[in-house]
């Protein structure tokens, strides 16, 4: 299945605005999360995004790209606005389509699954003559994920966990609509029942006490959201979504209306990844790196030898840096503002259409600049002198300010709340793919 994923607006077009938020940012964040979940969890799915960064791109360019790529499904992610007085979720298919069309049936799956997790009012299934619905050669859906100028909806949008949940809802709908098959080596998905989120720990403790009186065990877990500590009351973690939904209903039956489910890809989320250092040994070979990139993009440039060589010299985990390059360039398809001829594999200096970032004369030089920039963040030592300094932004870095990949959040990418996690998720997939390939080789040898 080929999924074209379209975060609405971007660049000079911010979309709807309200409560300190811009639609283009929320849409991109949700879309990137959708891509990460899909690529991590399912076999035989390709994803192309209209944009992976804050760039301007016309509607015509988006639909032409999807049509040329021959996508099977076009999914456009948006938020809504209406004078602050409206709230909730709605989605759209083209106005010419009947409710019995395949597009409408696909939409039914997504609408149902998204509504299960988004904590928003259901504004229904709608139709419109939007360009991305009219000019696409494949089935297309446009989702409006809350009203950004509504205080309650915007408060949800500000929470990374909510955006992750909404992304998961979209993916759950895609799985059912297209019968997607989960990867056999995929890490377990856990569904956590959150029975309230509080600014006050005392209020969280009261909720735990109340749940205990209702025969429901729970505990408090603190999280940081936009620099603010929140205290979540967790009433269970389940590998079965059905069991999580049963517990959620128990919590709601106890009178807790603000309970919801958070879906996480394994127990190893940000807390577990936070200590994974940028400095260290490179484990994958250059061939293994290249092979993984070509599994996603058969035309991918072979950069593995440079990430291996420079990674080992500077003491940087070159294979994780390679995963970062795959994240930045959409597996060397360059669907963002940076173009292939720039040899800029990590988005150095790229901030938008008017500033596409640095350019390097060769792929080798581009990788060297990438590794040097990581060295600037991860170490306070003097740069080794065997290779010339080609990173034009080396001296702009607060030396040693990010020793881990998660530490790059908000520094390498802004706001970039899940930037490091996205890199490590790709790296994890690289490891799984390499192990699977080696197992197949061993089986061939044993059977011959």
């Amino acid at each position: 299945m080929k999924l074209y994923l379209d975060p609405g607006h971007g660049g000079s077009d911010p979309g709807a605005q309200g409560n300190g938020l811009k639609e283009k940012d929320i849409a991109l964040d949700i879309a990137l999360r959708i891509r990460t979940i899909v690529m991590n969890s399912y076999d035989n799915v390709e994803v192309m995004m209209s944009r992976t960064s804050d760039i301007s791109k016309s509607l015509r360019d988006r639909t032409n790209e999807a049509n040329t790529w021959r996508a099977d499904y076009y999914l456009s992610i948006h938020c809504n606005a209406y004078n602050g007085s409206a709230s909730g979720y709605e989605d759209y298919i083209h106005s010419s389509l009947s409710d019995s069309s395949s597009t409408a049936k696909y939409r039914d799956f997504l609408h149902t699954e998204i509504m299960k997790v988004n904590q928003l009012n259901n504004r229904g299934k709608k139709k419109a003559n939007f360009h991305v619905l009219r000019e696409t050669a494949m089935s297309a859906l446009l989702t409006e994920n809350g009203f950004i100028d509504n205080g309650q909806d915007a408060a949800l949008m500000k929470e990374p966990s909510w955006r992750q949940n909404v992304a998961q809802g979209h993916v759950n709908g895609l799985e059912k609509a297209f019968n997607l098959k989960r990867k056999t080596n995929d890490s377990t998905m856990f569904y956590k029942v959150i029975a309230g989120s509080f600014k006050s720990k005392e209020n969280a403790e009261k909720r735990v006490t109340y749940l205990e009186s209702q025969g429901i065990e729970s505990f408090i877990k603190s999280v940081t959201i936009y620099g603010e500590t929140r205290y979540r009351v967790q009433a269970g973690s389940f590998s079965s979504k059905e069991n999580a939904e049963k517990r959620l209903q128990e919590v709601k039956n106890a009178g807790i209306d603000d309970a919801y489910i958070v879906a996480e890809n394994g127990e190893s989320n940000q807390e577990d990844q936070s200590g994974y250092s940028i400095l260290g040994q490179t484990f994958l070979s250059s061939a293994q790196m290249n092979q993984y990139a070509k599994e996603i993009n058969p035309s991918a440039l072979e950069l593995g030898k440079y990430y291996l060589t420079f990674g080992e010299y500077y003491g940087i985990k070159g294979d994780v840096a390679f995963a970062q390059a795959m994240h930045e360039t959409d597996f060397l398809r360059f669907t963002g503002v940076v173009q292939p001829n720039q040899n800029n594999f990590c988005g150095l200096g790229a901030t938008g259409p008017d500033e596409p970032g640095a350019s390097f004369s060769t792929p080798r030089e581009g990788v060297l600049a990438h590794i040097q920039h990581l060295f600037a963040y991860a170490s306070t030592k003097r740069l080794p002198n065997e290779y010339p300094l080609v990173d034009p932004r080396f001296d702009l870095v607060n030396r040693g300010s990010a020793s881990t990949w998660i530490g790059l959040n908000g520094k390498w990418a802004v706001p970039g709340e899940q930037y490091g996690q996205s890199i490590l998720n790709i790296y994890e997939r690289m490891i799984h793919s390499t192990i699977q390939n080696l197992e197949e080789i061993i089986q061939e040898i044993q059977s011959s």
Side-chain angles (χ1 to χ4, degrees), residues 1-3 38-39 42-47 180-181 296:
M1 184 239 182
K2 298 173 72 173
L3 171 65
V38 168
M39 298 303 294
Y42 298 92
D43 282 320
N44 302 317
V45 182
E46 297 178 63
V47 179
L180 302 183
K181 302 301 181 185
I296 309 298

Side-chain angles (χ1 to χ4, degrees), residues 157-172:
M157 292 180 194
K158 290 179 180 179
E159 293 207 27
S161 62
W162 181 85
R163 300 194 298 273
Q164 181 71 19
N165 239 22
V166 169
Q168 186 67 56
H170 282 72
V171 174
N172 291 345

Side-chain angles (χ1 to χ4, degrees), residues 1-5 31 34-35 37-39 42 45-47 72-77 105-114 139 141 143 166-181:
M1 184 239 182
K2 298 173 72 173
L3 171 65
Y4 189 88
L5 194 53
I34 292 173
R35 182 181 70 171
I37 297 170
V38 168
M39 298 303 294
Y42 298 92
V45 182
E46 297 178 63
V47 179
D72 296 308
Y73 196 59
Y74 190 107
L75 181 57
S76 191
I77 309 299
K105 292 177 181 178
Y106 294 149
R107 188 261 294 275
D108 289 344
F109 284 114
L110 272 88
H111 186 98
T112 298
E113 294 302 317
I114 294 167
S139 292
L141 177 68
T143 65
V166 169
Q168 186 67 56
H170 282 72
V171 174
N172 291 345
L174 290 168
E175 178 182 342
K176 291 190 175 182
F178 294 95
N179 195 29
L180 302 183
K181 302 301 181 185

Side-chain angles (χ1 to χ4, degrees), residues 8 14 88 168 173 182 227 243 248 264 280 322:
Q168 186 67 56
R182 286 187 172 272
N243 289 340
L248 177 64
E264 293 181 352
F322 183 86

Side-chain angles (χ1 to χ4, degrees), residues 109-409:
F109 284 114
L110 272 88
H111 186 98
T112 298
E113 294 302 317
I114 294 167
M115 284 306 307
K116 285 180 180 179
V117 298
N118 66 7
Q119 303 171 255
L120 296 172
N121 299 326
N122 189 348
R123 294 174 56 87
K125 307 170 189 177
K126 301 184 178 182
K127 298 179 182 180
N129 189 31
F130 297 145
H131 176 96
V132 297
L133 304 178
R134 183 184 64 248
E135 300 301 326
T136 40
M138 68 294 302
S139 292
L141 177 68
L142 184 147
T143 65
E144 293 278 8
N145 297 277
F147 282 73
I148 204 166
D149 58 350
N150 177 278
Q152 290 183 330
D153 287 9
L156 291 172
M157 292 180 194
K158 290 179 180 179
E159 293 207 27
S161 62
W162 181 85
R163 300 194 298 273
Q164 181 71 19
N165 239 22
V166 169
Q168 186 67 56
H170 282 72
V171 174
N172 291 345
L174 290 168
E175 178 182 342
K176 291 190 175 182
F178 294 95
N179 195 29
L180 302 183
K181 302 301 181 185
R182 286 187 172 272
K183 292 182 178 181
T184 55
N185 61 358
D186 183 38
S187 57
T188 304
M189 183 68 71
F190 284 87
Y191 301 91
K192 300 182 179 182
V193 178
I194 308 300
S197 180
F198 304 88
K199 292 182 180 180
S200 163
K201 187 175 182 180
E202 182 181 355
N203 289 338
E205 290 170 344
K206 290 179 180 178
R207 178 62 56 84
V208 170
T209 301
Y210 173 76
L211 287 170
E212 184 178 356
S213 72
Q214 301 297 308
I216 300 174
E217 294 184 1
S218 63
F219 63 92
I220 298 172
K221 186 174 183 180
S222 63
V223 295
T224 301
I225 300 170
Y226 284 93
E228 180 182 54
T229 299
R230 302 285 296 228
Y231 298 94
R232 284 183 180 158
V233 177
Q234 183 171 316
S237 179
F238 304 86
S239 58
S240 163
K241 187 178 179 183
E242 289 73 20
N243 289 340
E245 289 173 341
K246 289 179 183 177
R247 172 57 58 84
L248 177 64
Q249 192 57 52
E250 291 175 6
V251 172
K252 290 190 172 183
N253 289 343
I256 308 300
D257 294 329
D258 57 343
Y260 56 97
I261 294 174
V262 171
E264 293 181 352
N265 193 4
E267 293 286 9
S268 57
N269 54 16
Q270 178 171 343
E271 290 87 355
D272 300 305
Q273 295 176 333
S274 60
Y276 202 70
S277 174
I278 291 173
L279 299 175
Q281 182 181 354
T282 301
F283 289 101
L284 296 181
S285 70
S286 60
Q288 288 166 338
M289 293 184 228
N290 293 333
Q291 181 177 0
Y292 180 70
K294 288 180 180 293
E295 288 176 6
I296 309 298
N297 174 18
S299 302
L301 190 67
E302 295 189 357
L303 300 175
K305 62 181 179 181
Y306 302 130
Y307 279 98
L308 178 63
T309 300
F310 295 134
E312 288 183 346
Y313 177 75
Y314 287 100
I316 300 290
K317 292 175 179 173
D319 43 8
V320 188
F322 183 86
Q324 183 183 17
M326 298 303 101
H327 174 69
E328 287 281 352
T329 64
D330 192 14
F331 287 87
L332 299 170
R333 289 180 291 214
F334 294 93
T335 55
V337 66
V338 178
Q339 298 302 304
N341 59 6
Q342 292 178 244
N343 292 313
N344 183 350
F345 306 112
C346 63
L348 271 176
T351 58
D354 297 328
E355 184 49 72
S359 293
F360 303 97
S361 59
T362 64
R364 178 183 182 276
E365 184 178 288
V367 175
L368 177 58
H370 182 184
I371 297 296
Q372 288 177 343
H373 203 63
L374 284 169
F375 185 85
Y377 271 111
S379 175
T380 57
K381 293 181 180 180
R382 183 178 178 179
L383 189 72
N385 58 12
E386 179 172 337
Y387 300 104
L389 176 62
V390 295
D391 170 17
R393 302 181 65 81
F394 186 89
D395 294 329
L396 301 178
V397 174
N398 181 11
R399 296 297 310 280
S401 60
S403 61
T404 67
W405 298 96
I406 298 298
L408 296 177
N409 291 4

Side-chain angles (χ1 to χ4, degrees), residues 17-19 80-87 147-154:
Q17 300 180 68
N19 295 291
N80 230 326
Y82 189 74
N83 298 328
S85 60
S87 65
F147 282 73
I148 204 166
D149 58 350
N150 177 278
Q152 290 183 330
D153 287 9

